[in-house]
Amino acid sequence: MANRDYYQILGVTSDVTEQDLKKAWQKKARELHPDRNQDPAAADKMKEVNEAYQVLSDRKKRAEYDYQLQHGGTAGGSPDFGSMRDVFNDHLGNIFGDLFGGGRTSRSGSHSQRGSDLKYNLSLNLEDAVFGSSTTIKIPGLGRCQICNGLGTRKGTTTTTCPTCEGAGQVYLQHGPFSIQQTCPDCQGQGRTIPYPCPSCFGQGQVRETRTLSVRIPAGVDDGDRIRVTGEGEAGVRGGQAGDLYVQIQLKPHELFKRKGRDLYCEVPIFYSTAVLGGSVKVPTLGGEVNIKVPRGTQSGTILRIPSKGIPGTRGSRAGDLFCALVVETSVHLSSHQEELLLSYENSLNLASSKYYPRYHSWFEKMHRFFTRQSSESS
Ligand SMILES: [Zn+2]
Ligand SMILES: [Zn+2]
């Protein structure tokens, strides 16, 4: 139990939808059905598959399982029973199967249960991540029943000692030579039962609800950061403490900037005339527009560094830089008159001289040498 991956058993990924999960389970169940599958191991596999589906098809158990999976813990049940189950798996799997279907029993005897932790993926734009923001998020989940205040009992009634286990939370079964301790099926190990359940939550102490929560995002968060909001997870059962909410930050791609650590990168298109003559262009920064100087004779692809205009520094770290790649944009849709002007301008440059286009000339010479070598080798 402890180290088995339920998702793997059902052949699905951990983001599987409830519908696809059911399909995967039905498919496995058909494959492993004793009428079709003669493999002696099929029955055990079927047990595994059912166990996995039982947990993953229950939203609450699945959330709990996911959480424990992420935190390296065991998945539901108590570790002691997990190891026992492995020993007796062959003969007694069915009995223990019931045991594990009975919900979380790791703290048998304790009356209340802490609510599950929840994870919420929050997409943020760069500015909100850098400067901090407030946002409202809607969280579907289980909340404390307001009618019974989470106790599960009808108004004016109380819980009573479980008659099946007489409050012990455990029952004993005789199975061949073994006496097996099992969590009481009537009270799920709680030792107490609810004779008059709350009509609103049917004794669960929890109801399905969508909560709206205001969350403050601190300045300086980055992609993958997690913010813990204490007590905003699912409500506890029977007066138990609420779980925590983890808000996972995902940065949306930005229209203008790419981010690398604290530095920002952006591409700035410039006119041919600006590149030739030099001038000034406006570039964006997180703090607003700034003017930068484009040197005379700037080549396309030149990168200019603007110090301290990247991500602002927080808690002692220095601010990042902004890198602007200047890209000369070729003009399009010229009229015939404009084409003439361009050609007459181009013709005015003496192309035999390396003065106007030094890069073209040096490249042309390299190409010429390359072909001269080739023809002398082949002859
Ligand atoms: Zn209730
Ligand atoms: Zn009981």
Side-chain angles (χ1 to χ4, degrees), residues 145-153 198-207:
C145 173
Q146 299 297 321
I147 306 297
C148 63
N149 202 22
L151 295 171
T153 49
C198 163
S200 171
C201 64
F202 307 104
Q204 293 304 305
Q206 297 172 311
V207 285

Side-chain angles (χ1 to χ4, degrees), residues 232-293:
E232 294 295 351
E234 292 201 329
V237 178
R238 284 177 286 273
Q241 215 187 346
D244 296 334
L245 170 72
Y246 290 90
V247 179
Q248 176 106 27
I249 304 295
Q250 283 174 335
L251 281 194
K252 290 184 205 161
H254 197 277
E255 281 189 317
L256 291 170
F257 300 113
K258 290 218 161 24
R259 180 180 180 173
K260 221 184 244 175
R262 307 202 71 80
D263 295 332
L264 293 178
Y265 292 77
C266 77
E267 199 181 273
V268 180
I270 59 171
F271 302 139
Y272 175 71
S273 57
T274 312
V276 173
L277 303 172
S280 152
V281 291
K282 282 192 166 84
V283 299
T285 75
L286 290 177
E289 277 180 349
V290 295
N291 278 299
I292 60 167
K293 202 175 158 301

Side-chain angles (χ1 to χ4, degrees), residues 162 164-165 169 184 186-187 191:
C162 173
T164 311
C165 61
C184 173
D186 290 334
C187 65

Side-chain angles (χ1 to χ4, degrees), residues 10 12 16-30 53 57:
L10 291 171
V12 294
V16 66
T17 62
E18 283 175 28
Q19 259 183 341
D20 288 345
L21 183 78
K22 191 171 183 184
K23 277 184 209 153
W25 170 63
Q26 285 169 338
K27 185 166 164 268
K28 290 269 178 199
R30 275 196 301 273
Y53 182 69
S57 61

Side-chain angles (χ1 to χ4, degrees), residues 142-189:
L142 295 171
R144 172 169 298 202
C145 173
Q146 299 297 321
I147 306 297
C148 63
N149 202 22
L151 295 171
T153 49
R154 190 179 294 220
K155 204 170 180 193
T157 70
T158 177
T159 58
T160 53
T161 303
C162 173
T164 311
C165 61
E166 293 168 336
Q170 303 285 321
V171 290
Y172 293 88
L173 293 179
Q174 201 65 36
H175 192 92
F178 302 111
S179 172
I180 298 148
Q181 192 183 16
Q182 188 184 5
T183 298
C184 173
D186 290 334
C187 65
Q188 280 86 42

Side-chain angles (χ1 to χ4, degrees), residues 27-99:
K27 185 166 164 268
K28 290 269 178 199
R30 275 196 301 273
E31 281 169 15
L32 295 167
H33 195 276
D35 290 348
R36 299 183 189 197
N37 199 320
Q38 309 302 316
D39 182 354
D44 283 339
K45 277 192 195 143
M46 191 63 226
K47 254 177 265 163
E48 272 187 1
V49 163
N50 282 337
E51 182 184 303
Y53 182 69
Q54 212 168 14
V55 171
L56 297 185
S57 61
D58 180 313
R59 274 185 206 179
K60 188 162 165 278
K61 282 184 196 164
R62 180 171 166 180
E64 218 166 74
Y65 173 76
D66 285 346
Y67 178 78
Q68 282 165 328
L69 204 64
Q70 276 173 9
H71 290 74
T74 58
S78 97
D80 292 342
F81 282 114
S83 53
M84 226 164 110
R85 180 169 196 267
D86 290 339
V87 175
F88 294 125
N89 200 15
D90 289 347
H91 306 292
L92 305 175
N94 52 346
I95 293 172
F96 284 91
D98 294 339
L99 175 70

